Amino acid sequence: VTPRGVVLDLDGTIYRGNDPLPGAREAVGRLRERDVQLLFLSNNPTETPSAYAERLAEMGIEADPGEIASAGSITTEYLVREHPEDPILLIGAPGLRSQFEAAGLSLIDEWREAAVLVASYDREFDYERLTEALWTLDTGATFVGTDPDLTVPHPSGRPVPGSGAIIGAIARVAGRDPGVICGKPSAEARTVVDRRFGASLEECLIVGDRLDTDIALGARCGMETALVLTGVTERAALAGAELTPDHVLESISDLDDVLGGPSTTD
Ligand SMILES: [Mg+2]
C-alpha cells in the first residue's frame, strides 16, 4: 500500500555532505509520482528550511521549504512558543543563532542574565563556554538541547562530534539533563510530523540512516520504518540493536520495494 506520507531524513539518506546519494533524486521523483506527502526532516541544527530547499534544488530535488524541518527550525519553534520573551544564552553555531534572531528571540551574551541555556553543535565550544554553561545552569536556568546526535558525518568519512557531545558535556558537569532535546526522536519532532500528516501516522513511513533518531521517531509515532545503509548504520550493528526497523534497504533507491504496487498515476 502506498503510504499517505513519507518522512525522509537528509544526511546519509538523500545526500552525504554536498553530494546526492546515487538514485536519491529519482527515488524522490517516484514518490512525487505516487502523490504522497513528503517531509524532509534533518537533525542538523545549523540551517533554515529555505537553505535546505536551495541545497536540495542544487541536487535536482525540488522541495518547498514548507516540506522541510530541521532540529534548528523545531528548536526555534519550541522557544518561540515556550520562551518568547526569556533571555536565552546560546552555545551553538552561527547558523542557529541567525534562526533565533530571525524569529525575534531574546539572545544575550551575559550568562548571569540567562533564563534559558540552549546547547547545540558549536565549533567554538571550549573550556570557557563550558564554565559559563555550568554557572548558567547552577542559577536554575532552563536547559534545552537542539538534537541528540553524538556524532555527525564529515567529508573525511570519519565522524566528528555533534550537538549531543556538547549537550552531554554540559549535562555531565552540571549534573542534570536538558528538559527537552528538540530534534528527532523527541515529542517536539513528533509535533512537526503530526502537523504535516495529520492523525494517520500509522499510514506513514519514515526513512533514515540512524536507529536512535530516525527509526526511534518512527517507533514513537507508530509509523512504518525503513533504515538505509548509506549513512552511519552498518548492517552488523542491527543484530544487537534495541530498535528493529521494519525494512532495511541498501539505499533509498530500493524504496519502491517496500512501497508495494505501482504508483497511483501509472
Ligand atoms: Mg541521517
PDB file of all heavy atoms in Angstrom, residues 87-125:
ATOM      1  N   PRO A  87      15.349  35.692  28.273  1.00  0.00           N
ATOM      2  CA  PRO A  87      16.734  35.840  27.805  1.00  0.00           C
ATOM      3  C   PRO A  87      17.393  34.472  27.625  1.00  0.00           C
ATOM      4  O   PRO A  87      17.382  33.651  28.541  1.00  0.00           O
ATOM      5  CB  PRO A  87      17.417  36.634  28.918  1.00  0.00           C
ATOM      6  CG  PRO A  87      16.408  36.898  29.977  1.00  0.00           C
ATOM      7  CD  PRO A  87      15.129  36.225  29.633  1.00  0.00           C
ATOM      8  N   ILE A  88      17.935  34.267  26.435  1.00  0.00           N
ATOM      9  CA  ILE A  88      18.497  32.958  26.057  1.00  0.00           C
ATOM     10  C   ILE A  88      19.995  33.078  25.833  1.00  0.00           C
ATOM     11  O   ILE A  88      20.455  33.922  25.063  1.00  0.00           O
ATOM     12  CB  ILE A  88      17.826  32.449  24.761  1.00  0.00           C
ATOM     13  CG1 ILE A  88      16.326  32.220  24.990  1.00  0.00           C
ATOM     14  CG2 ILE A  88      18.507  31.173  24.269  1.00  0.00           C
ATOM     15  CD1 ILE A  88      15.538  32.003  23.704  1.00  0.00           C
ATOM     16  N   LEU A  89      20.757  32.209  26.508  1.00  0.00           N
ATOM     17  CA  LEU A  89      22.182  32.071  26.217  1.00  0.00           C
ATOM     18  C   LEU A  89      22.333  30.876  25.281  1.00  0.00           C
ATOM     19  O   LEU A  89      21.899  29.775  25.609  1.00  0.00           O
ATOM     20  CB  LEU A  89      22.973  31.833  27.508  1.00  0.00           C
ATOM     21  CG  LEU A  89      24.496  31.750  27.327  1.00  0.00           C
ATOM     22  CD1 LEU A  89      25.082  33.103  26.946  1.00  0.00           C
ATOM     23  CD2 LEU A  89      25.170  31.233  28.605  1.00  0.00           C
ATOM     24  N   LEU A  90      22.942  31.105  24.124  1.00  0.00           N
ATOM     25  CA  LEU A  90      23.093  30.049  23.132  1.00  0.00           C
ATOM     26  C   LEU A  90      24.532  29.599  23.037  1.00  0.00           C
ATOM     27  O   LEU A  90      25.438  30.416  22.828  1.00  0.00           O
ATOM     28  CB  LEU A  90      22.622  30.540  21.748  1.00  0.00           C
ATOM     29  CG  LEU A  90      22.937  29.596  20.579  1.00  0.00           C
ATOM     30  CD1 LEU A  90      22.187  28.272  20.723  1.00  0.00           C
ATOM     31  CD2 LEU A  90      22.605  30.251  19.251  1.00  0.00           C
ATOM     32  N   ILE A  91      24.751  28.304  23.174  1.00  0.00           N
ATOM     33  CA  ILE A  91      26.012  27.680  22.779  1.00  0.00           C
ATOM     34  C   ILE A  91      25.672  26.913  21.512  1.00  0.00           C
ATOM     35  O   ILE A  91      25.048  25.847  21.559  1.00  0.00           O
ATOM     36  CB  ILE A  91      26.538  26.768  23.903  1.00  0.00           C
ATOM     37  CG1 ILE A  91      26.940  27.626  25.101  1.00  0.00           C
ATOM     38  CG2 ILE A  91      27.712  25.931  23.394  1.00  0.00           C
ATOM     39  CD1 ILE A  91      27.389  26.841  26.305  1.00  0.00           C
ATOM     40  N   GLY A  92      25.995  27.509  20.365  1.00  0.00           N
ATOM     41  CA  GLY A  92      25.578  26.911  19.100  1.00  0.00           C
ATOM     42  C   GLY A  92      26.230  27.620  17.928  1.00  0.00           C
ATOM     43  O   GLY A  92      26.939  28.616  18.092  1.00  0.00           O
ATOM     44  N   ALA A  93      25.946  27.127  16.761  1.00  0.00           N
ATOM     45  CA  ALA A  93      26.581  27.622  15.541  1.00  0.00           C
ATOM     46  C   ALA A  93      25.941  28.933  15.078  1.00  0.00           C
ATOM     47  O   ALA A  93      24.781  29.213  15.400  1.00  0.00           O
ATOM     48  CB  ALA A  93      26.453  26.571  14.442  1.00  0.00           C
ATOM     49  N   PRO A  94      26.684  29.729  14.308  1.00  0.00           N
ATOM     50  CA  PRO A  94      26.125  30.969  13.765  1.00  0.00           C
ATOM     51  C   PRO A  94      24.820  30.741  12.993  1.00  0.00           C
ATOM     52  O   PRO A  94      23.905  31.575  13.050  1.00  0.00           O
ATOM     53  CB  PRO A  94      27.230  31.489  12.836  1.00  0.00           C
ATOM     54  CG  PRO A  94      28.492  30.888  13.376  1.00  0.00           C
ATOM     55  CD  PRO A  94      28.111  29.555  13.942  1.00  0.00           C
ATOM     56  N   GLY A  95      24.725  29.612  12.299  1.00  0.00           N
ATOM     57  CA  GLY A  95      23.522  29.319  11.524  1.00  0.00           C
ATOM     58  C   GLY A  95      22.294  29.107  12.393  1.00  0.00           C
ATOM     59  O   GLY A  95      21.160  29.328  11.956  1.00  0.00           O
ATOM     60  N   LEU A  96      22.487  28.681  13.621  1.00  0.00           N
ATOM     61  CA  LEU A  96      21.367  28.542  14.562  1.00  0.00           C
ATOM     62  C   LEU A  96      21.047  29.898  15.180  1.00  0.00           C
ATOM     63  O   LEU A  96      19.875  30.268  15.325  1.00  0.00           O
ATOM     64  CB  LEU A  96      21.718  27.523  15.644  1.00  0.00           C
ATOM     65  CG  LEU A  96      20.624  27.236  16.675  1.00  0.00           C
ATOM     66  CD1 LEU A  96      19.373  26.664  16.014  1.00  0.00           C
ATOM     67  CD2 LEU A  96      21.140  26.286  17.759  1.00  0.00           C
ATOM     68  N   ARG A  97      22.095  30.643  15.511  1.00  0.00           N
ATOM     69  CA  ARG A  97      21.898  31.983  16.071  1.00  0.00           C
ATOM     70  C   ARG A  97      21.049  32.843  15.134  1.00  0.00           C
ATOM     71  O   ARG A  97      20.122  33.535  15.563  1.00  0.00           O
ATOM     72  CB  ARG A  97      23.269  32.634  16.313  1.00  0.00           C
ATOM     73  CG  ARG A  97      23.213  34.024  16.947  1.00  0.00           C
ATOM     74  CD  ARG A  97      24.612  34.489  17.355  1.00  0.00           C
ATOM     75  NE  ARG A  97      25.183  33.625  18.379  1.00  0.00           N
ATOM     76  CZ  ARG A  97      25.013  33.800  19.699  1.00  0.00           C
ATOM     77  NH1 ARG A  97      24.318  34.817  20.135  1.00  0.00           N
ATOM     78  NH2 ARG A  97      25.546  32.958  20.551  1.00  0.00           N
ATOM     79  N   SER A  98      21.335  32.767  13.847  1.00  0.00           N
ATOM     80  CA  SER A  98      20.586  33.617  12.909  1.00  0.00           C
ATOM     81  C   SER A  98      19.121  33.182  12.816  1.00  0.00           C
ATOM     82  O   SER A  98      18.237  34.026  12.622  1.00  0.00           O
ATOM     83  CB  SER A  98      21.260  33.635  11.532  1.00  0.00           C
ATOM     84  OG  SER A  98      21.406  32.333  11.039  1.00  0.00           O
ATOM     85  N   GLN A  99      18.840  31.886  12.995  1.00  0.00           N
ATOM     86  CA  GLN A  99      17.432  31.447  13.010  1.00  0.00           C
ATOM     87  C   GLN A  99      16.711  32.009  14.232  1.00  0.00           C
ATOM     88  O   GLN A  99      15.560  32.446  14.145  1.00  0.00           O
ATOM     89  CB  GLN A  99      17.361  29.911  13.033  1.00  0.00           C
ATOM     90  CG  GLN A  99      17.841  29.255  11.744  1.00  0.00           C
ATOM     91  CD  GLN A  99      17.826  27.730  11.853  1.00  0.00           C
ATOM     92  OE1 GLN A  99      16.786  27.105  11.933  1.00  0.00           O
ATOM     93  NE2 GLN A  99      19.008  27.141  11.865  1.00  0.00           N
ATOM     94  N   PHE A 100      17.394  32.007  15.383  1.00  0.00           N
ATOM     95  CA  PHE A 100      16.792  32.557  16.604  1.00  0.00           C
ATOM     96  C   PHE A 100      16.548  34.062  16.433  1.00  0.00           C
ATOM     97  O   PHE A 100      15.502  34.579  16.820  1.00  0.00           O
ATOM     98  CB  PHE A 100      17.716  32.325  17.805  1.00  0.00           C
ATOM     99  CG  PHE A 100      17.784  30.902  18.291  1.00  0.00           C
ATOM    100  CD1 PHE A 100      17.085  29.881  17.659  1.00  0.00           C
ATOM    101  CD2 PHE A 100      18.550  30.576  19.412  1.00  0.00           C
ATOM    102  CE1 PHE A 100      17.153  28.563  18.121  1.00  0.00           C
ATOM    103  CE2 PHE A 100      18.613  29.275  19.888  1.00  0.00           C
ATOM    104  CZ  PHE A 100      17.932  28.265  19.232  1.00  0.00           C
ATOM    105  N   GLU A 101      17.532  34.736  15.867  1.00  0.00           N
ATOM    106  CA  GLU A 101      17.412  36.194  15.679  1.00  0.00           C
ATOM    107  C   GLU A 101      16.255  36.512  14.738  1.00  0.00           C
ATOM    108  O   GLU A 101      15.460  37.419  14.987  1.00  0.00           O
ATOM    109  CB  GLU A 101      18.734  36.775  15.154  1.00  0.00           C
ATOM    110  CG  GLU A 101      19.797  36.836  16.234  1.00  0.00           C
ATOM    111  CD  GLU A 101      21.198  37.153  15.704  1.00  0.00           C
ATOM    112  OE1 GLU A 101      21.395  37.144  14.468  1.00  0.00           O
ATOM    113  OE2 GLU A 101      22.079  37.391  16.534  1.00  0.00           O
ATOM    114  N   ALA A 102      16.149  35.749  13.643  1.00  0.00           N
ATOM    115  CA  ALA A 102      15.077  35.997  12.675  1.00  0.00           C
ATOM    116  C   ALA A 102      13.706  35.775  13.305  1.00  0.00           C
ATOM    117  O   ALA A 102      12.717  36.392  12.902  1.00  0.00           O
ATOM    118  CB  ALA A 102      15.259  35.076  11.461  1.00  0.00           C
ATOM    119  N   ALA A 103      13.641  34.904  14.308  1.00  0.00           N
ATOM    120  CA  ALA A 103      12.364  34.615  14.975  1.00  0.00           C
ATOM    121  C   ALA A 103      12.073  35.605  16.101  1.00  0.00           C
ATOM    122  O   ALA A 103      11.034  35.515  16.752  1.00  0.00           O
ATOM    123  CB  ALA A 103      12.377  33.191  15.531  1.00  0.00           C
ATOM    124  N   GLY A 104      12.994  36.530  16.350  1.00  0.00           N
ATOM    125  CA  GLY A 104      12.762  37.551  17.364  1.00  0.00           C
ATOM    126  C   GLY A 104      13.025  37.091  18.790  1.00  0.00           C
ATOM    127  O   GLY A 104      12.571  37.729  19.743  1.00  0.00           O
ATOM    128  N   LEU A 105      13.765  35.997  18.958  1.00  0.00           N
ATOM    129  CA  LEU A 105      14.090  35.530  20.307  1.00  0.00           C
ATOM    130  C   LEU A 105      15.112  36.467  20.961  1.00  0.00           C
ATOM    131  O   LEU A 105      15.860  37.165  20.271  1.00  0.00           O
ATOM    132  CB  LEU A 105      14.633  34.092  20.240  1.00  0.00           C
ATOM    133  CG  LEU A 105      13.600  33.043  19.812  1.00  0.00           C
ATOM    134  CD1 LEU A 105      14.289  31.725  19.485  1.00  0.00           C
ATOM    135  CD2 LEU A 105      12.548  32.833  20.905  1.00  0.00           C
ATOM    136  N   SER A 106      15.132  36.446  22.314  1.00  0.00           N
ATOM    137  CA  SER A 106      15.986  37.380  23.068  1.00  0.00           C
ATOM    138  C   SER A 106      17.322  36.732  23.413  1.00  0.00           C
ATOM    139  O   SER A 106      17.480  36.151  24.484  1.00  0.00           O
ATOM    140  CB  SER A 106      15.283  37.802  24.362  1.00  0.00           C
ATOM    141  OG  SER A 106      14.012  38.317  24.088  1.00  0.00           O
ATOM    142  N   LEU A 107      18.268  36.829  22.494  1.00  0.00           N
ATOM    143  CA  LEU A 107      19.594  36.265  22.736  1.00  0.00           C
ATOM    144  C   LEU A 107      20.432  37.232  23.556  1.00  0.00           C
ATOM    145  O   LEU A 107      20.432  38.436  23.302  1.00  0.00           O
ATOM    146  CB  LEU A 107      20.286  35.982  21.407  1.00  0.00           C
ATOM    147  CG  LEU A 107      19.721  34.781  20.656  1.00  0.00           C
ATOM    148  CD1 LEU A 107      20.174  34.803  19.205  1.00  0.00           C
ATOM    149  CD2 LEU A 107      20.154  33.492  21.321  1.00  0.00           C
ATOM    150  N   ILE A 108      21.150  36.686  24.529  1.00  0.00           N
ATOM    151  CA  ILE A 108      22.020  37.523  25.357  1.00  0.00           C
ATOM    152  C   ILE A 108      23.405  36.894  25.412  1.00  0.00           C
ATOM    153  O   ILE A 108      23.584  35.712  25.129  1.00  0.00           O
ATOM    154  CB  ILE A 108      21.446  37.671  26.791  1.00  0.00           C
ATOM    155  CG1 ILE A 108      21.061  36.288  27.347  1.00  0.00           C
ATOM    156  CG2 ILE A 108      20.226  38.579  26.802  1.00  0.00           C
ATOM    157  CD1 ILE A 108      21.680  35.997  28.639  1.00  0.00           C
ATOM    158  N   ASP A 109      24.401  37.691  25.788  1.00  0.00           N
ATOM    159  CA  ASP A 109      25.779  37.204  25.890  1.00  0.00           C
ATOM    160  C   ASP A 109      26.199  36.964  27.338  1.00  0.00           C
ATOM    161  O   ASP A 109      27.176  36.258  27.593  1.00  0.00           O
ATOM    162  CB  ASP A 109      26.745  38.224  25.267  1.00  0.00           C
ATOM    163  CG  ASP A 109      26.534  38.360  23.771  1.00  0.00           C
ATOM    164  OD1 ASP A 109      26.270  37.323  23.127  1.00  0.00           O
ATOM    165  OD2 ASP A 109      26.609  39.483  23.263  1.00  0.00           O
ATOM    166  N   GLU A 110      25.507  37.596  28.277  1.00  0.00           N
ATOM    167  CA  GLU A 110      25.895  37.552  29.687  1.00  0.00           C
ATOM    168  C   GLU A 110      25.165  36.402  30.392  1.00  0.00           C
ATOM    169  O   GLU A 110      23.945  36.433  30.523  1.00  0.00           O
ATOM    170  CB  GLU A 110      25.554  38.906  30.332  1.00  0.00           C
ATOM    171  CG  GLU A 110      25.714  38.963  31.825  1.00  0.00           C
ATOM    172  CD  GLU A 110      27.098  38.526  32.300  1.00  0.00           C
ATOM    173  OE1 GLU A 110      28.105  39.078  31.809  1.00  0.00           O
ATOM    174  OE2 GLU A 110      27.160  37.606  33.149  1.00  0.00           O
ATOM    175  N   TRP A 111      25.941  35.426  30.854  1.00  0.00           N
ATOM    176  CA  TRP A 111      25.306  34.228  31.416  1.00  0.00           C
ATOM    177  C   TRP A 111      24.452  34.555  32.634  1.00  0.00           C
ATOM    178  O   TRP A 111      23.448  33.881  32.893  1.00  0.00           O
ATOM    179  CB  TRP A 111      26.354  33.175  31.759  1.00  0.00           C
ATOM    180  CG  TRP A 111      27.297  33.543  32.865  1.00  0.00           C
ATOM    181  CD1 TRP A 111      28.508  34.147  32.735  1.00  0.00           C
ATOM    182  CD2 TRP A 111      27.086  33.373  34.268  1.00  0.00           C
ATOM    183  NE1 TRP A 111      29.065  34.356  33.965  1.00  0.00           N
ATOM    184  CE2 TRP A 111      28.214  33.878  34.928  1.00  0.00           C
ATOM    185  CE3 TRP A 111      26.051  32.824  35.034  1.00  0.00           C
ATOM    186  CZ2 TRP A 111      28.349  33.871  36.319  1.00  0.00           C
ATOM    187  CZ3 TRP A 111      26.177  32.810  36.416  1.00  0.00           C
ATOM    188  CH2 TRP A 111      27.318  33.332  37.054  1.00  0.00           C
ATOM    189  N   ARG A 112      24.823  35.596  33.394  1.00  0.00           N
ATOM    190  CA  ARG A 112      24.069  35.926  34.614  1.00  0.00           C
ATOM    191  C   ARG A 112      22.623  36.298  34.314  1.00  0.00           C
ATOM    192  O   ARG A 112      21.759  36.192  35.168  1.00  0.00           O
ATOM    193  CB  ARG A 112      24.725  37.100  35.352  1.00  0.00           C
ATOM    194  CG  ARG A 112      26.028  36.747  36.037  1.00  0.00           C
ATOM    195  CD  ARG A 112      26.647  37.984  36.679  1.00  0.00           C
ATOM    196  NE  ARG A 112      27.930  37.689  37.297  1.00  0.00           N
ATOM    197  CZ  ARG A 112      29.070  37.643  36.635  1.00  0.00           C
ATOM    198  NH1 ARG A 112      29.092  37.850  35.339  1.00  0.00           N
ATOM    199  NH2 ARG A 112      30.203  37.372  37.259  1.00  0.00           N
ATOM    200  N   GLU A 113      22.353  36.751  33.089  1.00  0.00           N
ATOM    201  CA  GLU A 113      21.002  37.204  32.733  1.00  0.00           C
ATOM    202  C   GLU A 113      20.160  36.097  32.117  1.00  0.00           C
ATOM    203  O   GLU A 113      18.986  36.296  31.832  1.00  0.00           O
ATOM    204  CB  GLU A 113      21.102  38.365  31.723  1.00  0.00           C
ATOM    205  CG  GLU A 113      21.804  39.589  32.277  1.00  0.00           C
ATOM    206  CD  GLU A 113      22.190  40.575  31.171  1.00  0.00           C
ATOM    207  OE1 GLU A 113      21.793  40.357  30.008  1.00  0.00           O
ATOM    208  OE2 GLU A 113      22.897  41.544  31.481  1.00  0.00           O
ATOM    209  N   ALA A 114      20.759  34.927  31.895  1.00  0.00           N
ATOM    210  CA  ALA A 114      20.060  33.899  31.109  1.00  0.00           C
ATOM    211  C   ALA A 114      18.983  33.184  31.921  1.00  0.00           C
ATOM    212  O   ALA A 114      19.222  32.758  33.051  1.00  0.00           O
ATOM    213  CB  ALA A 114      21.071  32.879  30.586  1.00  0.00           C
ATOM    214  N   ALA A 115      17.808  33.063  31.310  1.00  0.00           N
ATOM    215  CA  ALA A 115      16.745  32.223  31.883  1.00  0.00           C
ATOM    216  C   ALA A 115      16.731  30.857  31.201  1.00  0.00           C
ATOM    217  O   ALA A 115      16.204  29.891  31.745  1.00  0.00           O
ATOM    218  CB  ALA A 115      15.390  32.904  31.709  1.00  0.00           C
ATOM    219  N   VAL A 116      17.300  30.814  29.987  1.00  0.00           N
ATOM    220  CA  VAL A 116      17.328  29.573  29.210  1.00  0.00           C
ATOM    221  C   VAL A 116      18.735  29.390  28.644  1.00  0.00           C
ATOM    222  O   VAL A 116      19.324  30.336  28.118  1.00  0.00           O
ATOM    223  CB  VAL A 116      16.319  29.622  28.030  1.00  0.00           C
ATOM    224  CG1 VAL A 116      16.360  28.323  27.223  1.00  0.00           C
ATOM    225  CG2 VAL A 116      14.911  29.918  28.523  1.00  0.00           C
ATOM    226  N   LEU A 117      19.263  28.184  28.756  1.00  0.00           N
ATOM    227  CA  LEU A 117      20.513  27.817  28.077  1.00  0.00           C
ATOM    228  C   LEU A 117      20.165  26.844  26.960  1.00  0.00           C
ATOM    229  O   LEU A 117      19.572  25.794  27.209  1.00  0.00           O
ATOM    230  CB  LEU A 117      21.493  27.152  29.046  1.00  0.00           C
ATOM    231  CG  LEU A 117      22.766  26.622  28.369  1.00  0.00           C
ATOM    232  CD1 LEU A 117      23.709  27.764  28.013  1.00  0.00           C
ATOM    233  CD2 LEU A 117      23.480  25.592  29.241  1.00  0.00           C
ATOM    234  N   VAL A 118      20.526  27.209  25.726  1.00  0.00           N
ATOM    235  CA  VAL A 118      20.351  26.289  24.602  1.00  0.00           C
ATOM    236  C   VAL A 118      21.728  25.766  24.196  1.00  0.00           C
ATOM    237  O   VAL A 118      22.637  26.555  23.921  1.00  0.00           O
ATOM    238  CB  VAL A 118      19.674  26.971  23.392  1.00  0.00           C
ATOM    239  CG1 VAL A 118      19.564  25.991  22.225  1.00  0.00           C
ATOM    240  CG2 VAL A 118      18.293  27.501  23.777  1.00  0.00           C
ATOM    241  N   ALA A 119      21.884  24.452  24.180  1.00  0.00           N
ATOM    242  CA  ALA A 119      23.159  23.841  23.819  1.00  0.00           C
ATOM    243  C   ALA A 119      23.012  23.097  22.493  1.00  0.00           C
ATOM    244  O   ALA A 119      22.006  22.421  22.260  1.00  0.00           O
ATOM    245  CB  ALA A 119      23.625  22.882  24.909  1.00  0.00           C
ATOM    246  N   SER A 120      24.030  23.220  21.650  1.00  0.00           N
ATOM    247  CA  SER A 120      23.986  22.666  20.298  1.00  0.00           C
ATOM    248  C   SER A 120      25.400  22.537  19.756  1.00  0.00           C
ATOM    249  O   SER A 120      26.375  22.920  20.401  1.00  0.00           O
ATOM    250  CB  SER A 120      23.147  23.615  19.421  1.00  0.00           C
ATOM    251  OG  SER A 120      23.017  23.105  18.105  1.00  0.00           O
ATOM    252  N   TYR A 121      25.474  21.978  18.569  1.00  0.00           N
ATOM    253  CA  TYR A 121      26.744  21.885  17.829  1.00  0.00           C
ATOM    254  C   TYR A 121      27.407  23.255  17.751  1.00  0.00           C
ATOM    255  O   TYR A 121      26.781  24.231  17.336  1.00  0.00           O
ATOM    256  CB  TYR A 121      26.424  21.378  16.424  1.00  0.00           C
ATOM    257  CG  TYR A 121      27.561  21.399  15.438  1.00  0.00           C
ATOM    258  CD1 TYR A 121      28.487  20.365  15.418  1.00  0.00           C
ATOM    259  CD2 TYR A 121      27.683  22.426  14.527  1.00  0.00           C
ATOM    260  CE1 TYR A 121      29.518  20.378  14.499  1.00  0.00           C
ATOM    261  CE2 TYR A 121      28.711  22.444  13.595  1.00  0.00           C
ATOM    262  CZ  TYR A 121      29.631  21.419  13.592  1.00  0.00           C
ATOM    263  OH  TYR A 121      30.651  21.428  12.679  1.00  0.00           O
ATOM    264  N   ASP A 122      28.666  23.343  18.189  1.00  0.00           N
ATOM    265  CA  ASP A 122      29.356  24.626  18.217  1.00  0.00           C
ATOM    266  C   ASP A 122      30.852  24.389  18.068  1.00  0.00           C
ATOM    267  O   ASP A 122      31.504  23.874  18.974  1.00  0.00           O
ATOM    268  CB  ASP A 122      29.060  25.347  19.539  1.00  0.00           C
ATOM    269  CG  ASP A 122      29.705  26.719  19.615  1.00  0.00           C
ATOM    270  OD1 ASP A 122      30.384  27.127  18.640  1.00  0.00           O
ATOM    271  OD2 ASP A 122      29.532  27.385  20.644  1.00  0.00           O
ATOM    272  N   ARG A 123      31.377  24.771  16.935  1.00  0.00           N
ATOM    273  CA  ARG A 123      32.802  24.541  16.681  1.00  0.00           C
ATOM    274  C   ARG A 123      33.692  25.397  17.563  1.00  0.00           C
ATOM    275  O   ARG A 123      34.888  25.136  17.675  1.00  0.00           O
ATOM    276  CB  ARG A 123      33.125  24.808  15.209  1.00  0.00           C
ATOM    277  CG  ARG A 123      32.457  23.821  14.263  1.00  0.00           C
ATOM    278  CD  ARG A 123      32.724  24.200  12.827  1.00  0.00           C
ATOM    279  NE  ARG A 123      34.140  24.192  12.526  1.00  0.00           N
ATOM    280  CZ  ARG A 123      34.770  23.173  11.942  1.00  0.00           C
ATOM    281  NH1 ARG A 123      34.095  22.102  11.594  1.00  0.00           N
ATOM    282  NH2 ARG A 123      36.049  23.226  11.698  1.00  0.00           N
ATOM    283  N   GLU A 124      33.137  26.438  18.177  1.00  0.00           N
ATOM    284  CA  GLU A 124      33.913  27.314  19.062  1.00  0.00           C
ATOM    285  C   GLU A 124      33.837  26.869  20.521  1.00  0.00           C
ATOM    286  O   GLU A 124      34.368  27.541  21.399  1.00  0.00           O
ATOM    287  CB  GLU A 124      33.393  28.755  18.960  1.00  0.00           C
ATOM    288  CG  GLU A 124      33.304  29.307  17.542  1.00  0.00           C
ATOM    289  CD  GLU A 124      34.679  29.464  16.921  1.00  0.00           C
ATOM    290  OE1 GLU A 124      35.568  29.998  17.615  1.00  0.00           O
ATOM    291  OE2 GLU A 124      34.864  29.040  15.768  1.00  0.00           O
ATOM    292  N   PHE A 125      33.135  25.782  20.779  1.00  0.00           N
ATOM    293  CA  PHE A 125      32.948  25.320  22.159  1.00  0.00           C
ATOM    294  C   PHE A 125      34.301  25.084  22.823  1.00  0.00           C
ATOM    295  O   PHE A 125      35.184  24.440  22.261  1.00  0.00           O
ATOM    296  CB  PHE A 125      32.138  24.030  22.150  1.00  0.00           C
ATOM    297  CG  PHE A 125      31.747  23.535  23.508  1.00  0.00           C
ATOM    298  CD1 PHE A 125      30.870  24.259  24.291  1.00  0.00           C
ATOM    299  CD2 PHE A 125      32.255  22.343  23.998  1.00  0.00           C
ATOM    300  CE1 PHE A 125      30.486  23.799  25.544  1.00  0.00           C
ATOM    301  CE2 PHE A 125      31.880  21.879  25.253  1.00  0.00           C
ATOM    302  CZ  PHE A 125      30.997  22.615  26.028  1.00  0.00           C
TER     303      PHE A 125
END
